[in-house]
Amino acid sequence: MPNLFIVADGMGGHKAGDYASRYTVETIEREIKSSFEKNPSIIIKKAIQTANKEIRQRASEDPNLTGMGTTVVVATVIGRYLQVANVGDSRLYVANSQEIRQITRDHSLVEEMIRLGGLEREEARLHPDKNIITRAIGAMDTVDVDFFTVELNPTDKILMCSDGLTNMVDDQQILQILNRFPGDKTLVETAHALIDAANENGGKDNIGVVLVRPYSDEVTK
């Protein structure tokens, strides 16, 4: 793969959650680098499944890590196309000056409630069960992975983030921040502005942000 971007948001207590997210990222990177498979979706799926298996194994061996898990979003840009995989409620967006699109689908209780018509999307961010996820690395012996392919335009930006951002800042405010800085500003300033907005709105969770301009060499996290 010519590039690889990952966001993982751990759970199960501070120590266990940090371990789960870090180990998952390291395992996915290792598995992808060592793969001889050509299809990116197969490469990523196998890497995530290996991470799930190893997280489960390590949690069974160490009582301090019992119950640990993590969300994960994995992306790679190949030519004009963005390949995305996700497990959990961390997200990937594609945005330009006109709109922001959530590409991933949250694996969460409130998302299921929205899908079944029991909850309006505007209510989801404030729902008391918004942090309950229905799929995670380490939660079960096997893990289902969602995949998406997106054709990119030259002006698109990619945003990958944990729910520490999206629980605090809605999509339209995110879009406003992404468009606040002119082209000569770096993605670092935009990322700091997103994190600042989440903290100003409450900042109740870890905030992970990765920003990519796919048609440039600039990435920040």
Side-chain angles (χ1 to χ4, degrees):
M1 288 183 187
N3 50 73
L4 181 66
F5 310 103
I6 307 173
V7 167
D9 186 20
M11 66 195 80
H14 180 71
K15 180 180 178 181
D18 283 354
Y19 182 91
S21 58
R22 183 179 70 254
Y23 189 83
T24 293
V25 171
E26 291 172 353
T27 302
I28 291 171
E29 289 179 341
R30 181 195 73 214
E31 291 297 305
I32 288 175
K33 286 178 180 178
S34 64
S35 177
F36 293 101
E37 174 62 53
K38 300 299 183 184
N39 186 316
S41 62
I42 294 176
I43 297 172
I44 293 170
K45 181 177 181 179
K46 287 182 176 180
I48 291 174
Q49 290 173 335
T50 298
N52 184 73
K53 180 180 178 181
E54 293 189 11
I55 287 290
R56 296 279 292 173
Q57 180 65 31
R58 290 180 178 271
S60 70
E61 295 169 349
D62 186 344
N64 293 320
L65 301 178
T66 299
M68 71 173 173
T70 184
T71 69
V72 71
V73 180
V74 182
T76 185
V77 179
I78 301 175
R80 295 183 295 117
Y81 293 92
L82 173 67
Q83 305 282 343
V84 185
N86 85 293
V87 177
D89 63 354
S90 292
R91 295 178 178 178
L92 184 145
Y93 293 89
V94 172
N96 55 39
S97 61
Q98 303 300 317
E99 64 174 355
I100 183 169
R101 292 180 290 149
Q102 181 181 337
I103 304 302
T104 54
R105 185 181 62 139
D106 295 352
H107 302 135
S108 66
L109 180 61
V110 294
E111 185 64 28
E112 288 298 311
M113 293 168 67
I114 292 168
R115 187 177 64 83
L116 295 172
L119 185 69
E120 295 296 326
R121 188 161 297 280
E122 293 75 17
E123 302 171 324
R125 286 179 55 248
L126 302 176
H127 196 280
D129 294 330
K130 67 178 182 295
N131 293 322
I132 298 176
I133 62 175
T134 56
R135 215 184 289 183
I137 303 296
M140 305 288 288
D141 288 339
T142 60
V143 61
D144 291 328
V145 185
D146 283 355
F147 287 92
F148 308 88
T149 300
V150 182
E151 185 173 4
L152 295 169
N153 294 311
T155 59
D156 285 339
K157 293 178 184 176
I158 299 165
L159 167 64
M160 301 166 67
C161 60
S162 66
D163 67 346
L165 176 68
T166 54
N167 281 342
M168 297 292 112
V169 186
D170 66 31
D171 289 4
Q172 286 308 304
Q173 187 178 359
I174 290 173
L175 180 60
Q176 290 172 3
I177 293 170
L178 291 175
N179 289 332
R180 183 182 299 169
F181 300 98
D184 60 347
K185 296 292 185 178
T186 68
L187 293 183
V188 173
E189 291 171 273
T190 309
H192 283 315
L194 289 168
I195 293 168
D196 288 345
N199 284 325
E200 288 166 6
N201 291 346
K204 298 178 181 178
D205 200 355
N206 293 331
I207 306 163
V209 172
V210 170
L211 278 168
V212 183
R213 282 199 184 102
Y215 290 95
S216 75
D217 294 326
E218 192 177 3
V219 179
T220 193
K221 62 182 179 178

